[in-house]
Amino acid sequence: MGNFGIRLRVWGDWACFTRPEMKAERVSYDVITPSAARGILEAIYWKPEIRWRIQKIHVLAPIRFSNIRRNEVASKAVKPTAAIMAGGLHSPMGIAVEDDRQQRAATVLRDVDYVIQAFFDVVSGTDPAQKHLEIFRRRAQRGQYFHHPYLGCREFPASFSWAEDPLPEPAPQLAGERDLGWMLNDIDFVLDKKGKVVRSNDGAKVQPTPHFFRPVMSGGVIEVPGGDDCEVRR
């Protein structure tokens, strides 16, 4: 049905786009991943009728890392319905943080600044694409969102604004080309027409498929291949 493009500037004091190969400690990629960029767009405006696709990432600030230690919990909270079914009405439904706290080291990014260039495909519904585009533009200009967008981790909130021409120039340190190695592009969830994860015949959710690609940053700009592009590996 065609696609319609947007550009959004996002920035923040801290960011962590965790490499999946790191198990014990968190280590961030050098730049924001396309999947994290898509999450920011969906936090501002999401509808099951459209699918966001990241086209380019403009890196504006120098890439700087910092090492920190963070308090985390070692387990996940059980959903209330699952807790009741497992242990009755008196089963615990939360986590005692003092009893479940653990410290983990993290290598995170600081003072990040990006421009996300993306477009969306209209996959269903009767609303024209121009309507979706204007709603997103209005929400971005007003600072509205469904939930606060974040930079990889929820404790690292992202500020954002609608990006107008001309775009800011990247930092001089980003001149030339830089191979960033293998990076997570996105995770392919099998969704139905209502945007919910499809389940198999036995009721289990169909497992998503991660997609990886090898980005080369040229002058601060990263070209993101589409999901069907031969550069993407699964």
Side-chain angles (χ1 to χ4, degrees):
M1 297 184 183
N3 58 68
F4 295 80
I6 62 93
R7 287 189 296 189
L8 185 78
R9 186 173 182 178
V10 298
W11 66 93
D13 297 332
W14 302 95
C16 183
F17 311 105
T18 307
R19 293 177 176 271
E21 64 268 24
M22 303 298 181
K23 301 298 183 182
E25 312 296 348
R26 294 185 185 273
V27 178
S28 177
Y29 284 112
D30 291 7
V31 298
I32 186 173
T33 61
S35 59
R38 177 177 55 80
I40 291 175
L41 300 182
E42 291 180 346
I44 298 171
Y45 181 66
W46 178 87
K47 287 287 184 181
E49 293 89 351
I50 65 174
R51 293 287 184 273
W52 288 106
R53 301 183 185 275
I54 307 302
Q55 190 174 22
K56 293 181 181 180
I57 294 173
H58 301 257
V59 183
L60 304 180
I63 299 172
R64 298 191 179 100
F65 288 94
S66 288
N67 295 319
I68 62 174
R69 297 190 71 86
R70 306 188 308 160
N71 289 325
E72 300 185 9
V73 291
S75 57
K76 294 182 179 180
V78 180
K79 293 182 179 180
T81 53
I84 293 173
M85 293 177 64
L89 294 176
H90 301 290
S91 60
M93 298 183 189
I95 295 177
V97 177
E98 293 77 10
D99 300 332
D100 206 28
R101 180 187 289 123
Q102 63 180 8
Q103 279 200 337
R104 296 179 65 182
T107 302
V108 301
L109 296 166
R110 60 186 179 92
D111 301 325
V112 299
D113 195 353
Y114 309 108
V115 171
I116 301 170
Q117 184 172 330
F119 63 90
F120 61 85
D121 294 322
V122 181
V123 297
S124 64
T126 58
D127 290 335
Q130 190 64 29
K131 178 179 178 180
H132 294 294
L133 180 62
E134 291 302 323
I135 293 175
F136 180 88
R137 184 200 303 270
R138 185 167 60 250
R139 292 177 66 85
Q141 291 174 337
R142 294 177 178 177
Q144 296 175 315
Y145 46 79
F146 293 125
H147 63 83
H148 201 296
Y150 52 89
L151 296 164
C153 297
R154 289 188 181 274
E155 59 265 43
F156 301 148
S159 301
F160 63 90
S161 66
W162 180 261
E164 300 283 359
D165 287 328
L167 294 179
E169 292 292 328
Q173 297 92 321
L174 301 176
E177 289 193 350
R178 179 173 178 176
D179 189 341
L180 300 178
W182 289 105
M183 176 185 288
L184 177 67
N185 183 356
D186 212 333
I187 298 178
D188 185 14
F189 291 91
V190 182
L191 305 177
D192 58 19
K193 293 182 179 180
K194 295 182 179 180
K196 296 183 178 180
V197 177
V198 174
R199 294 181 179 271
S200 59
N201 294 332
D202 59 359
K205 292 183 179 180
V206 176
Q207 292 299 312
T209 303
H211 293 230
F212 294 86
F213 76 118
R214 185 152 192 156
V216 175
M217 183 172 61
S218 179
V221 180
I222 300 172
E223 300 273 354
V224 180
D228 299 327
D229 195 289
C230 61
E231 295 182 43
V232 174
R233 296 193 179 185
R234 303 188 179 191

